[in-house]
Amino acid sequence: MTANDSATYEWTVSGMDCASCAGKVRGAVERLPGVSDVDVALMTERLRLTLDEGQTPRNQIEAIVKRLGYGIAAKGSSPDRKGFVLPDDEQASRADGSRDAAGLEPNAGSTGPESGPGPGSRWYQTAKGRLVIGTGLLLAAAWAVKLLASQDVATWAFILATLIGVAPIARRAVASARAGMPFTIEMLMTIAASGALVIDAAEEAALVVFLFAVGEVLEGVAANKARDGIRALARLVPKTAILEIGGRTRVIPADQLQVDQIVLVRPGDRVPADGEVIEGTSGVDESAVTGESVPKLKEPGASVFAGSINSEAALRVRVTKSAEDNTIARIIRLVEEAESARAPTERFIDRFSRIYMPAVVGVAVLVAIVPPLAFGQGWDTWIYRALALLLIGCPCALVISVPASIASALSSGARRGLLMKGGAVIEAAAATTHVAFDKTGTLTHGRPRVTDVVPISGSETEVLALAAAVEAGSSHPLAEAILSRAEAAGAPFLAATAAKALPGKGAEAVVEGETAWVGSPRFAGERGVLDDHALRAVVGMEDEGKTVVAVFRRSQLVGLVALRDEPREDAARAVQQLKALGIASVMLTGDNRRTAAAISAGLGIDHRAELMPEGKVAAIREMTARDRVMMVGDGINDAPALATAHIGVAMGSGTDVALETADAAILRNRVTDVAGKIRLARAAMANIRQNVAIALGLKAVFLVTTILGITGLWIAILADTGATVLVTLNALRLLAFDPEREA
């Protein structure tokens, strides 16, 4: 297979209730010729793979998944409802050919609904729900026959109930076996029910089949609940928008908005797209996107997010992002992709479960034959115990213990503006011992203002005019502050050419035919233009916690400009919260030592100053050699340091970099959210440990009681199903976890 013959395809698969279901789908399709890079996401019900249709056509993939008992459709189409459904409004939007939850265009080639109820179905309208009702009625009828007729007639009624109930389970077991996966819960269930009939335990066989069906429904309900967090994000963006064209308005689907179109957002409406306010002033509630509870004032020039609520006055907004690229869509994509980034613990449990089930089957065989052959015990007794042992052998609860917790933590974090890219990132965050902060834009607002202009060989206006010319076009916060002050002071415009940044030093440009620089005092000193008088002025201002830049020509210092970037209001509190968690903090900055010392003293944090970008990387590398390090920066200038740390966290309200560059992102621009992210990660890992203990503990207890004959078939299936439901419900507790609450 060559790259030219292959393409990536994506489907929505319904009816997957636990990690074993996802494993069956993955195992069945990855064995097919021409299939590679198989990714099955349980919580987002996604199957993605690379396929060479010359070897295996797409319809064969769909046919195999259907044979396993799951619904499947190309992404964006309504899947066969073999399991549970998405909320009415989301499915309706998919059914009418609109975009999916992440704003992507639906693929062509949908298989279309084949069976099962349509959108908005309740549990009792699904195939598994109907199986519960059917087996329940058959079991009740058999018990009625037992009470009203002879035992012989009742036995046949129980046998009939068992056969009818186990038939769909057996079909799935055979399909899995044909796909190369003989050790599945369906196969164990089929063997157990059939064996119980053989040893004349028809009543228990019928009860076990019914309890198994109930368990599958409960697993599906619990799994569906875990998916609600991601679906809630998808519902934030309104379905329609009020588009303005030529002074007139009309309502159109929000997913059809194009960049640079103008939309009207009335008070109380949700913003239909990421955009920029061009007219109007209003408070906008962004809590659904960033988790920030206080509405933000939006004026012309301010950015707004799709899904936020306009709370006061009408706004006219220019669309800046298409539907598939707005902040909500990218958050959903990030959460979906994060599910595929499996934690090391999850990968270990997955490998362990592959050994665990065959081992339990082997033990069950020994339990069935060794006591009768070696010790003359009764065959019926030990076969019965072996069958019960088979039902305990399903590793569903163990396998789902990690992904259920990870999915809940990701969803809980996403609702609060705390994004993490998968289980591996959650594990790394939970293990953090040291946090390194960038200063500008992270611990401080990143919006410095000019506090002093000190002319040396010219007037204040001349200093500002030359500095503004060199910094024109730069997006650096210090440059923007200088440009703003120059404009306010009415400094004349000077044309500049050949402008370029000097990383770690400053900027240079040719102004009026002569090269000029705006740079650090150290850089000015290296150029030989900083005399003792200017140096004393620099030291005095730096001792006040100000950042000083020198404005100079080739052999002449024109003047000094001092700026100050105030720390964020919650920065000191964040450092204290991290300290309470047993985590040390350090500030890394390219600023001078005196300014860094003044700011760090106010925050109660260690610091390393005068670091070039490569110096930050070296500092992080030194720390990672002995500690577990999280680096928090703005996601742009600090990209190398973010990549060097064990986990890189980008601060930023929905910027592309903040969402896509680092391992994690904080959307609310709150420094205290760093501690909140670590609390959430630690809670998730604690939840995982609890789930593993529940899964293995229940298995161990009932393994012993089954071999001793204390518990039988129906208790065994309750133990298996109960463990899975308990693990899932325990994981759902993370949805209500408050990362802001200090222990």
Side-chain angles (χ1 to χ4, degrees), residues 7 11 80 150 281 321 329 341 429 432 457 469 514 566 591 613 689 729:
W11 290 267
D80 301 348
S150 67
T281 300
K321 295 283 182 66
T432 296
S457 60
E514 186 181 350
E566 297 295 333
D591 222 332
R689 289 190 289 272
L729 292 177

Side-chain angles (χ1 to χ4, degrees), residues 360-437:
V360 170
V361 172
V363 171
V365 171
L366 293 176
V367 167
I369 63 176
V370 170
L373 292 178
F375 306 106
Q377 300 288 316
W379 282 97
D380 284 0
T381 298
W382 288 99
I383 289 175
Y384 179 86
R385 294 179 184 179
L387 294 175
L389 194 61
L390 281 179
L391 297 180
I392 296 173
C394 176
C396 282
L398 181 62
V399 172
I400 203 174
S401 60
V402 178
S405 298
I406 294 297
S408 294
L410 293 172
S411 179
S412 178
R415 292 206 312 269
R416 295 169 173 85
L418 307 176
L419 305 183
M420 291 180 278
K421 295 183 178 179
V425 174
I426 288 178
E427 282 201 28
T432 296
T433 60
H434 287 68
V435 174
F437 290 97

Side-chain angles (χ1 to χ4, degrees), residues 195-217:
L197 292 179
V198 171
I199 61 173
D200 200 23
E203 183 173 355
E204 281 201 72
L207 180 58
V208 164
V209 170
F210 171 69
L211 291 175
F212 177 79
V214 170
E216 289 225 305
V217 167

Side-chain angles (χ1 to χ4, degrees), residues 143-159:
W143 274 328
V145 170
K146 182 179 179 179
L147 291 174
L148 301 175
S150 67
Q151 179 64 46
D152 291 341
V153 176
T155 298
W156 284 107
F158 284 122
I159 291 173

Side-chain angles (χ1 to χ4, degrees), residues 307-356:
S308 54
I309 301 174
N310 180 20
S311 56
E312 296 172 2
L315 295 174
R316 294 178 68 237
V317 176
R318 180 178 63 84
V319 177
T320 58
K321 295 283 182 66
S322 58
E324 63 267 21
D325 198 36
N326 66 41
T327 300
I328 292 291
R330 286 184 287 122
I331 290 174
I332 292 171
R333 280 204 299 273
L334 186 148
V335 175
E336 288 178 342
E337 295 300 327
E339 192 185 345
S340 301
R342 300 198 298 168
T345 303
E346 183 181 355
R347 291 195 295 268
F348 169 76
I349 288 177
D350 192 37
R351 291 193 300 270
F352 173 75
S353 66
R354 295 177 186 177
I355 303 170
Y356 169 78

Side-chain angles (χ1 to χ4, degrees), residues 231-254:
R231 293 169 179 162
L233 287 172
R235 292 195 295 268
L236 290 177
V237 181
K239 300 299 179 187
T240 59
I242 303 175
L243 177 66
E244 278 195 10
I245 300 179
R248 302 175 64 107
T249 62
R250 63 188 180 93
V251 177
I252 67 167

